[in-house]
């Protein structure tokens, strides 16, 4: 009987491991360009549906993973639609003899070629234009809208990071205790419950790890 139970428990353990899908631990380097780096994007887009599926057993955890994916999408869309031009701006430090000190020099590029700041800005910030003249009121409104959108995403990220970690920690504690309570049981139904709860614990572990890496990176943007 002991041998049979041991074999059954081993099979359930292997099943638990194989059922967790293809979650990939995020690797975000200091200069990876989180919202535009293709490798990071592939990792996140792969993890999003995987983690959402893994966490379907708990509505709060599932929503947490879904909201996290949406927030990343919002960051990415915002960057793509409004901040692409930043890729064409480079800042370097040069020694200014007249000033007797190091100064920062900004270079602007269009299609890989350096262009004057006035030419660059006039072609990039279309919402600031009015009949080929700079519309200062339009510029102020445009920049204000960008700032408010960015602040809203930042606030969401901070709030999400705090609430999600608290929720995941609570779920992990509950499930760990439930698994502990089932230890020693030789009942096939209890072994099945233990396997399911271990699956769920693993989904929390993956969700927590993903959130712990992704959210601080988004906030840092």
């Amino acid at each position: 009987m002991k041998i049979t139970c041991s074999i059954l428990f081993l099979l359930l353990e292997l099943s638990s491991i194989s059922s967790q899908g293809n979650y990939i631990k995020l690797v975000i380097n200091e200069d990876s360009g989180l919202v535009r780096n293709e490798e990071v994007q592939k990792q996140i887009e792969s993890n999003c549906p995987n983690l959402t599926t893994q966490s379907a057993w708990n509505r709060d955890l599932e929503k947490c993973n879904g909201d996290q994916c949406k927030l990343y999408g919002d960051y990415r869309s915002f960057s793509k639609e409004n901040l692409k031009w930043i890729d064409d701006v480079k800042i370097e430090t040069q020694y200014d003899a007249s000033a007797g000190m190091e100064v920062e020099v900004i270079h602007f590029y269009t299609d890989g070629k350096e262009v004057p700041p006035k030419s660059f800005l006039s072609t990039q910030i279309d919402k600031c234009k009015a009949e080929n003249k700079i519309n200062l009121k339009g510029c102020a409104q445009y920049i204000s809208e960008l700032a408010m959108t960015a602040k809203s995403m930042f606030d969401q990220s901070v709030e999400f990071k705090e609430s999600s970690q608290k929720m995941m920690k609570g779920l992990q504690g509950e499930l760990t205790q439930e698994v502990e309570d089932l230890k020693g049981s030789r009942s096939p139904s209890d072994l099945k419950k233990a396997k399911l709860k271990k699956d769920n614990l693993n989904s929390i572990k993956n969700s927590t790890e993903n959130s712990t890496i992704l959210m601080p990176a988004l906030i840092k943007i």
Side-chain angles (χ1 to χ4, degrees):
M1 181 63 181
K2 286 184 179 180
I3 295 176
T4 303
C5 285
S6 297
I7 293 174
L8 178 59
F9 191 76
L10 177 60
L11 290 173
L12 289 171
E13 282 284 313
L14 292 174
S15 175
S16 174
I17 294 170
S18 64
S19 67
Q20 291 303 320
N22 299 313
Y23 165 76
I24 304 170
K25 181 177 180 178
L26 282 177
V27 178
I28 302 176
N29 298 319
E30 190 70 23
D31 58 347
S32 66
L34 176 64
V35 294
R36 288 180 228 163
N37 182 280
E38 289 187 6
E39 287 304 313
V40 174
Q41 180 187 335
K42 287 178 183 178
Q43 284 182 307
I44 294 174
E45 291 184 349
S46 172
N47 283 346
C48 275
N50 186 275
L51 289 173
T52 302
T53 300
Q54 282 188 23
S55 57
W57 62 274
N58 182 277
R59 183 176 297 179
D60 290 337
L61 186 60
E62 182 181 29
K63 184 177 185 302
C64 177
N65 281 308
D67 288 347
Q68 180 172 268
C69 293
K70 181 182 182 304
L71 191 57
Y72 167 73
D74 290 345
Y75 268 92
R76 201 162 168 272
S77 296
F78 180 76
S79 174
K80 184 178 181 181
E81 293 170 11
N82 302 296
L83 305 179
K84 184 178 180 181
W85 57 272
I86 290 178
D87 284 342
D88 301 317
V89 178
K90 293 181 175 59
I91 302 176
E92 66 177 13
T93 302
Q94 293 181 357
Y95 181 77
D96 187 331
S98 61
M101 60 185 291
E102 292 285 332
V103 297
E104 287 187 339
V105 180
I106 304 176
H107 301 274
F108 298 90
Y109 298 84
T110 298
D111 297 326
K113 296 180 180 179
E114 187 169 1
V115 296
K118 184 177 179 181
S119 171
F120 176 84
L121 292 173
S122 66
T123 58
Q124 295 297 328
I125 309 180
D126 293 334
K127 291 188 178 182
C128 291
K129 290 181 180 180
E131 298 178 357
N132 297 322
K133 294 180 180 179
I134 294 296
N135 179 353
L136 294 180
K137 185 177 180 181
C139 277
Q141 183 177 355
Y142 174 60
I143 298 300
S144 177
E145 288 173 358
L146 291 185
M148 290 299 292
T149 301
K151 183 180 184 303
S152 176
M153 289 191 296
F154 173 79
D155 290 343
Q156 288 180 57
S157 299
V158 172
E159 182 181 350
F160 178 86
K161 179 174 177 287
E162 294 174 354
S163 62
S164 63
Q165 289 181 352
K166 183 178 179 181
M167 182 268 293
M168 290 178 188
K169 187 176 181 180
L171 280 178
Q172 188 172 32
E174 291 175 13
L175 278 177
T176 300
Q177 184 57 55
E178 290 173 6
V179 170
E180 193 68 25
D181 292 341
L182 289 169
K183 275 188 176 179
S185 174
R186 296 177 181 177
S187 166
S189 62
D190 283 348
L191 288 174
K192 187 176 181 180
K193 287 179 185 176
K195 178 263 176 186
L196 182 60
K197 291 182 187 298
K198 285 189 176 184
D199 275 354
N200 295 343
L201 269 173
N202 202 48
S203 73
I204 296 173
K205 173 182 171 294
N206 291 343
S207 296
T208 301
E209 180 180 80
N210 193 71
S211 179
T212 301
I213 297 171
L214 177 60
M215 298 315 299
L218 288 179
I219 292 172
K220 189 175 180 180
I221 294 176

